[in-house]
mmCIF file of all heavy atoms in Angstrom:
data_model
loop_
_atom_site.group_PDB
_atom_site.id
_atom_site.type_symbol
_atom_site.label_atom_id
_atom_site.label_comp_id
_atom_site.label_asym_id
_atom_site.label_seq_id
_atom_site.Cartn_x
_atom_site.Cartn_y
_atom_site.Cartn_z
ATOM 1 N N GLN A 27 9.681 3.434 14.713
ATOM 2 C CA GLN A 27 8.358 4.098 14.853
ATOM 3 C C GLN A 27 7.842 4.552 13.548
ATOM 4 O O GLN A 27 6.722 4.317 13.131
ATOM 5 C CB GLN A 27 8.447 5.252 15.874
ATOM 6 C CG GLN A 27 7.120 5.860 16.161
ATOM 7 C CD GLN A 27 7.189 6.827 17.297
ATOM 8 O OE1 GLN A 27 8.186 7.054 17.915
ATOM 9 N NE2 GLN A 27 5.995 7.458 17.594
ATOM 10 N N TYR A 28 8.690 5.297 12.804
ATOM 11 C CA TYR A 28 8.315 5.780 11.448
ATOM 12 C C TYR A 28 8.028 4.642 10.515
ATOM 13 O O TYR A 28 7.110 4.681 9.711
ATOM 14 C CB TYR A 28 9.388 6.698 10.894
ATOM 15 C CG TYR A 28 9.633 7.924 11.796
ATOM 16 C CD1 TYR A 28 10.812 8.080 12.462
ATOM 17 C CD2 TYR A 28 8.600 8.890 11.891
ATOM 18 C CE1 TYR A 28 11.001 9.243 13.258
ATOM 19 C CE2 TYR A 28 8.785 10.016 12.682
ATOM 20 C CZ TYR A 28 9.979 10.169 13.357
ATOM 21 O OH TYR A 28 10.216 11.282 14.174
ATOM 22 N N SER A 29 8.876 3.600 10.604
ATOM 23 C CA SER A 29 8.713 2.400 9.695
ATOM 24 C C SER A 29 7.408 1.755 9.997
ATOM 25 O O SER A 29 6.739 1.248 9.028
ATOM 26 C CB SER A 29 9.872 1.421 9.899
ATOM 27 O OG SER A 29 11.080 2.043 9.492
ATOM 28 N N THR A 30 6.974 1.647 11.236
ATOM 29 C CA THR A 30 5.682 1.054 11.586
ATOM 30 C C THR A 30 4.570 1.762 10.957
ATOM 31 O O THR A 30 3.610 1.231 10.364
ATOM 32 C CB THR A 30 5.538 1.033 13.119
ATOM 33 O OG1 THR A 30 6.627 0.226 13.668
ATOM 34 C CG2 THR A 30 4.196 0.350 13.473
ATOM 35 N N TYR A 31 4.613 3.104 11.077
ATOM 36 C CA TYR A 31 3.517 3.938 10.426
ATOM 37 C C TYR A 31 3.596 3.828 8.922
ATOM 38 O O TYR A 31 2.547 3.752 8.252
ATOM 39 C CB TYR A 31 3.646 5.418 10.866
ATOM 40 C CG TYR A 31 3.141 5.674 12.222
ATOM 41 C CD1 TYR A 31 4.031 5.902 13.276
ATOM 42 C CD2 TYR A 31 1.762 5.685 12.509
ATOM 43 C CE1 TYR A 31 3.544 6.147 14.583
ATOM 44 C CE2 TYR A 31 1.327 5.869 13.805
ATOM 45 C CZ TYR A 31 2.210 6.150 14.856
ATOM 46 O OH TYR A 31 1.717 6.350 16.114
ATOM 47 N N LEU A 32 4.792 3.833 8.341
ATOM 48 C CA LEU A 32 4.927 3.725 6.895
ATOM 49 C C LEU A 32 4.417 2.371 6.396
ATOM 50 O O LEU A 32 3.572 2.321 5.451
ATOM 51 C CB LEU A 32 6.377 3.857 6.478
ATOM 52 C CG LEU A 32 6.671 3.679 5.027
ATOM 53 C CD1 LEU A 32 6.033 4.815 4.226
ATOM 54 C CD2 LEU A 32 8.212 3.660 4.726
ATOM 55 N N PHE A 33 4.857 1.239 7.013
ATOM 56 C CA PHE A 33 4.363 -0.093 6.592
ATOM 57 C C PHE A 33 2.850 -0.202 6.802
ATOM 58 O O PHE A 33 2.173 -0.703 5.935
ATOM 59 C CB PHE A 33 5.076 -1.173 7.387
ATOM 60 C CG PHE A 33 6.410 -1.614 6.707
ATOM 61 C CD1 PHE A 33 7.565 -0.941 7.048
ATOM 62 C CD2 PHE A 33 6.437 -2.641 5.834
ATOM 63 C CE1 PHE A 33 8.742 -1.325 6.490
ATOM 64 C CE2 PHE A 33 7.595 -3.028 5.213
ATOM 65 C CZ PHE A 33 8.800 -2.374 5.559
ATOM 66 N N GLY A 34 2.343 0.279 7.901
ATOM 67 C CA GLY A 34 0.910 0.174 8.191
ATOM 68 C C GLY A 34 0.109 0.973 7.164
ATOM 69 O O GLY A 34 -0.892 0.472 6.676
ATOM 70 N N THR A 35 0.576 2.145 6.862
ATOM 71 C CA THR A 35 -0.128 2.998 5.884
ATOM 72 C C THR A 35 -0.135 2.386 4.496
ATOM 73 O O THR A 35 -1.134 2.356 3.768
ATOM 74 C CB THR A 35 0.448 4.431 5.858
ATOM 75 O OG1 THR A 35 0.362 4.992 7.161
ATOM 76 C CG2 THR A 35 -0.267 5.309 4.861
ATOM 77 N N VAL A 36 1.070 1.919 4.092
ATOM 78 C CA VAL A 36 1.170 1.221 2.750
ATOM 79 C C VAL A 36 0.301 0.018 2.698
ATOM 80 O O VAL A 36 -0.391 -0.215 1.696
ATOM 81 C CB VAL A 36 2.662 0.858 2.492
ATOM 82 C CG1 VAL A 36 2.796 -0.086 1.306
ATOM 83 C CG2 VAL A 36 3.436 2.161 2.205
ATOM 84 N N GLU A 37 0.265 -0.756 3.748
ATOM 85 C CA GLU A 37 -0.573 -1.963 3.799
ATOM 86 C C GLU A 37 -2.103 -1.594 3.653
ATOM 87 O O GLU A 37 -2.803 -2.234 2.875
ATOM 88 C CB GLU A 37 -0.337 -2.775 5.063
ATOM 89 C CG GLU A 37 0.916 -3.492 5.098
ATOM 90 C CD GLU A 37 1.212 -4.148 6.424
ATOM 91 O OE1 GLU A 37 0.641 -3.766 7.462
ATOM 92 O OE2 GLU A 37 2.059 -5.087 6.425
ATOM 93 N N VAL A 38 -2.517 -0.539 4.365
ATOM 94 C CA VAL A 38 -3.884 -0.140 4.304
ATOM 95 C C VAL A 38 -4.223 0.422 2.906
ATOM 96 O O VAL A 38 -5.182 0.021 2.282
ATOM 97 C CB VAL A 38 -4.272 0.889 5.363
ATOM 98 C CG1 VAL A 38 -5.671 1.467 5.160
ATOM 99 C CG2 VAL A 38 -4.212 0.226 6.781
ATOM 100 N N VAL A 39 -3.445 1.387 2.471
ATOM 101 C CA VAL A 39 -3.756 2.040 1.166
ATOM 102 C C VAL A 39 -3.630 1.132 0.010
ATOM 103 O O VAL A 39 -4.591 0.956 -0.839
ATOM 104 C CB VAL A 39 -2.914 3.352 0.997
ATOM 105 C CG1 VAL A 39 -3.076 3.944 -0.372
ATOM 106 C CG2 VAL A 39 -3.221 4.384 2.119
ATOM 107 N N ALA A 40 -2.518 0.486 -0.140
ATOM 108 C CA ALA A 40 -2.299 -0.416 -1.277
ATOM 109 C C ALA A 40 -3.210 -1.615 -1.149
ATOM 110 O O ALA A 40 -3.695 -2.109 -2.192
ATOM 111 C CB ALA A 40 -0.805 -0.889 -1.354
ATOM 112 N N GLY A 41 -3.485 -2.102 0.049
ATOM 113 C CA GLY A 41 -4.420 -3.187 0.238
ATOM 114 C C GLY A 41 -5.836 -2.818 -0.192
ATOM 115 O O GLY A 41 -6.508 -3.625 -0.893
ATOM 116 N N MET A 42 -6.296 -1.640 0.117
ATOM 117 C CA MET A 42 -7.603 -1.227 -0.285
ATOM 118 C C MET A 42 -7.712 -1.039 -1.821
ATOM 119 O O MET A 42 -8.663 -1.375 -2.454
ATOM 120 C CB MET A 42 -7.999 0.096 0.407
ATOM 121 C CG MET A 42 -8.278 -0.057 1.878
ATOM 122 S SD MET A 42 -9.573 -1.253 2.276
ATOM 123 C CE MET A 42 -10.995 -0.396 1.624
ATOM 124 N N LEU A 43 -6.686 -0.458 -2.415
ATOM 125 C CA LEU A 43 -6.569 -0.288 -3.834
ATOM 126 C C LEU A 43 -6.623 -1.616 -4.564
ATOM 127 O O LEU A 43 -7.288 -1.806 -5.577
ATOM 128 C CB LEU A 43 -5.341 0.516 -4.250
ATOM 129 C CG LEU A 43 -5.356 1.988 -3.861
ATOM 130 C CD1 LEU A 43 -3.999 2.671 -4.217
ATOM 131 C CD2 LEU A 43 -6.484 2.734 -4.619
ATOM 132 N N LEU A 44 -5.881 -2.585 -3.971
ATOM 133 C CA LEU A 44 -5.842 -3.932 -4.491
ATOM 134 C C LEU A 44 -7.229 -4.607 -4.370
ATOM 135 O O LEU A 44 -7.750 -5.210 -5.299
ATOM 136 C CB LEU A 44 -4.802 -4.751 -3.806
ATOM 137 C CG LEU A 44 -4.194 -5.956 -4.493
ATOM 138 C CD1 LEU A 44 -3.479 -5.551 -5.811
ATOM 139 C CD2 LEU A 44 -3.152 -6.611 -3.568
ATOM 140 N N LEU A 45 -7.869 -4.401 -3.252
ATOM 141 C CA LEU A 45 -9.137 -4.992 -2.911
ATOM 142 C C LEU A 45 -10.191 -4.545 -3.991
ATOM 143 O O LEU A 45 -10.914 -5.401 -4.482
ATOM 144 C CB LEU A 45 -9.619 -4.604 -1.542
ATOM 145 C CG LEU A 45 -10.929 -5.133 -1.051
ATOM 146 C CD1 LEU A 45 -10.869 -6.642 -0.836
ATOM 147 C CD2 LEU A 45 -11.371 -4.402 0.222
ATOM 148 N N VAL A 46 -10.278 -3.311 -4.292
ATOM 149 C CA VAL A 46 -11.299 -2.801 -5.242
ATOM 150 C C VAL A 46 -10.819 -2.851 -6.706
ATOM 151 O O VAL A 46 -11.598 -2.673 -7.603
ATOM 152 C CB VAL A 46 -11.774 -1.366 -4.866
ATOM 153 C CG1 VAL A 46 -12.408 -1.404 -3.505
ATOM 154 C CG2 VAL A 46 -10.666 -0.364 -4.919
ATOM 155 N N GLY A 47 -9.528 -3.054 -6.917
ATOM 156 C CA GLY A 47 -9.018 -3.187 -8.250
ATOM 157 C C GLY A 47 -8.712 -1.845 -8.933
ATOM 158 O O GLY A 47 -9.045 -1.724 -10.107
ATOM 159 N N ILE A 48 -8.103 -0.933 -8.214
ATOM 160 C CA ILE A 48 -7.610 0.308 -8.812
ATOM 161 C C ILE A 48 -6.126 0.323 -8.653
ATOM 162 O O ILE A 48 -5.612 0.073 -7.587
ATOM 163 C CB ILE A 48 -8.270 1.520 -8.095
ATOM 164 C CG1 ILE A 48 -9.779 1.483 -8.234
ATOM 165 C CG2 ILE A 48 -7.649 2.811 -8.672
ATOM 166 C CD1 ILE A 48 -10.503 2.607 -7.469
ATOM 167 N N PHE A 49 -5.424 0.740 -9.728
ATOM 168 C CA PHE A 49 -3.938 0.701 -9.687
ATOM 169 C C PHE A 49 -3.425 -0.656 -9.219
ATOM 170 O O PHE A 49 -2.504 -0.698 -8.347
ATOM 171 C CB PHE A 49 -3.384 1.832 -8.853
ATOM 172 C CG PHE A 49 -3.860 3.220 -9.243
ATOM 173 C CD1 PHE A 49 -4.643 3.942 -8.400
ATOM 174 C CD2 PHE A 49 -3.525 3.761 -10.528
ATOM 175 C CE1 PHE A 49 -5.072 5.229 -8.812
ATOM 176 C CE2 PHE A 49 -3.938 4.990 -10.879
ATOM 177 C CZ PHE A 49 -4.691 5.779 -10.033
ATOM 178 N N THR A 50 -4.065 -1.700 -9.768
ATOM 179 C CA THR A 50 -3.795 -3.024 -9.260
ATOM 180 C C THR A 50 -2.298 -3.403 -9.318
ATOM 181 O O THR A 50 -1.713 -3.869 -8.361
ATOM 182 C CB THR A 50 -4.604 -4.061 -10.133
ATOM 183 O OG1 THR A 50 -5.988 -3.728 -9.926
ATOM 184 C CG2 THR A 50 -4.364 -5.481 -9.616
ATOM 185 N N ARG A 51 -1.700 -3.196 -10.520
ATOM 186 C CA ARG A 51 -0.294 -3.627 -10.646
ATOM 187 C C ARG A 51 0.624 -2.795 -9.780
ATOM 188 O O ARG A 51 1.578 -3.293 -9.199
ATOM 189 C CB ARG A 51 0.136 -3.546 -12.163
ATOM 190 C CG ARG A 51 -0.481 -4.639 -12.937
ATOM 191 C CD ARG A 51 0.023 -4.683 -14.336
ATOM 192 N NE ARG A 51 -0.229 -5.987 -14.952
ATOM 193 C CZ ARG A 51 -1.201 -6.201 -15.861
ATOM 194 N NH1 ARG A 51 -2.059 -5.228 -16.187
ATOM 195 N NH2 ARG A 51 -1.322 -7.411 -16.368
ATOM 196 N N TRP A 52 0.350 -1.503 -9.692
ATOM 197 C CA TRP A 52 1.213 -0.634 -8.806
ATOM 198 C C TRP A 52 1.018 -1.075 -7.300
ATOM 199 O O TRP A 52 2.024 -1.103 -6.640
ATOM 200 C CB TRP A 52 0.849 0.837 -8.995
ATOM 201 C CG TRP A 52 1.399 1.432 -10.264
ATOM 202 C CD1 TRP A 52 0.767 1.716 -11.397
ATOM 203 C CD2 TRP A 52 2.797 1.741 -10.476
ATOM 204 N NE1 TRP A 52 1.628 2.216 -12.350
ATOM 205 C CE2 TRP A 52 2.867 2.221 -11.835
ATOM 206 C CE3 TRP A 52 3.964 1.626 -9.764
ATOM 207 C CZ2 TRP A 52 4.052 2.617 -12.379
ATOM 208 C CZ3 TRP A 52 5.125 2.054 -10.320
ATOM 209 C CH2 TRP A 52 5.179 2.551 -11.582
ATOM 210 N N SER A 53 -0.175 -1.361 -6.957
ATOM 211 C CA SER A 53 -0.399 -1.723 -5.577
ATOM 212 C C SER A 53 0.306 -3.036 -5.246
ATOM 213 O O SER A 53 0.957 -3.181 -4.207
ATOM 214 C CB SER A 53 -1.858 -1.865 -5.293
ATOM 215 O OG SER A 53 -2.587 -0.681 -5.518
ATOM 216 N N ALA A 54 0.181 -4.000 -6.152
ATOM 217 C CA ALA A 54 0.857 -5.302 -5.995
ATOM 218 C C ALA A 54 2.365 -5.086 -5.914
ATOM 219 O O ALA A 54 3.065 -5.726 -5.103
ATOM 220 C CB ALA A 54 0.479 -6.233 -7.090
ATOM 221 N N PHE A 55 2.893 -4.210 -6.786
ATOM 222 C CA PHE A 55 4.343 -3.947 -6.804
ATOM 223 C C PHE A 55 4.829 -3.347 -5.506
ATOM 224 O O PHE A 55 5.858 -3.787 -4.935
ATOM 225 C CB PHE A 55 4.643 -3.052 -7.993
ATOM 226 C CG PHE A 55 6.063 -2.728 -8.141
ATOM 227 C CD1 PHE A 55 6.999 -3.683 -8.500
ATOM 228 C CD2 PHE A 55 6.555 -1.480 -7.866
ATOM 229 C CE1 PHE A 55 8.354 -3.374 -8.614
ATOM 230 C CE2 PHE A 55 7.891 -1.088 -7.962
ATOM 231 C CZ PHE A 55 8.834 -2.070 -8.349
ATOM 232 N N VAL A 56 4.144 -2.355 -5.002
ATOM 233 C CA VAL A 56 4.523 -1.675 -3.754
ATOM 234 C C VAL A 56 4.474 -2.679 -2.603
ATOM 235 O O VAL A 56 5.425 -2.702 -1.749
ATOM 236 C CB VAL A 56 3.682 -0.415 -3.493
ATOM 237 C CG1 VAL A 56 3.860 0.106 -2.118
ATOM 238 C CG2 VAL A 56 3.934 0.672 -4.558
ATOM 239 N N LEU A 57 3.407 -3.401 -2.493
ATOM 240 C CA LEU A 57 3.285 -4.398 -1.446
ATOM 241 C C LEU A 57 4.379 -5.464 -1.566
ATOM 242 O O LEU A 57 4.946 -5.903 -0.547
ATOM 243 C CB LEU A 57 1.934 -5.019 -1.397
ATOM 244 C CG LEU A 57 0.788 -4.144 -0.961
ATOM 245 C CD1 LEU A 57 -0.582 -4.789 -1.258
ATOM 246 C CD2 LEU A 57 0.937 -3.829 0.521
#
């Protein structure tokens, strides 16, 4: 349950950062 929320949150936040190009390398690394 916690992992689902964690993965989903990481996907949304890092995905949005990647989409707009902020903290690109960090976002790509985390994903």
Side-chain angles (χ1 to χ4, degrees):
Q27 185 170 0
Y28 299 112
S29 295
T30 301
Y31 284 106
L32 177 66
F33 272 88
T35 302
V36 166
E37 286 172 340
V38 169
V39 172
M42 290 302 293
L43 291 172
L44 205 59
L45 181 70
V46 298
I48 299 175
F49 303 114
T50 301
R51 286 187 163 102
W52 283 106
S53 300
F55 179 71
V56 168
L57 289 167

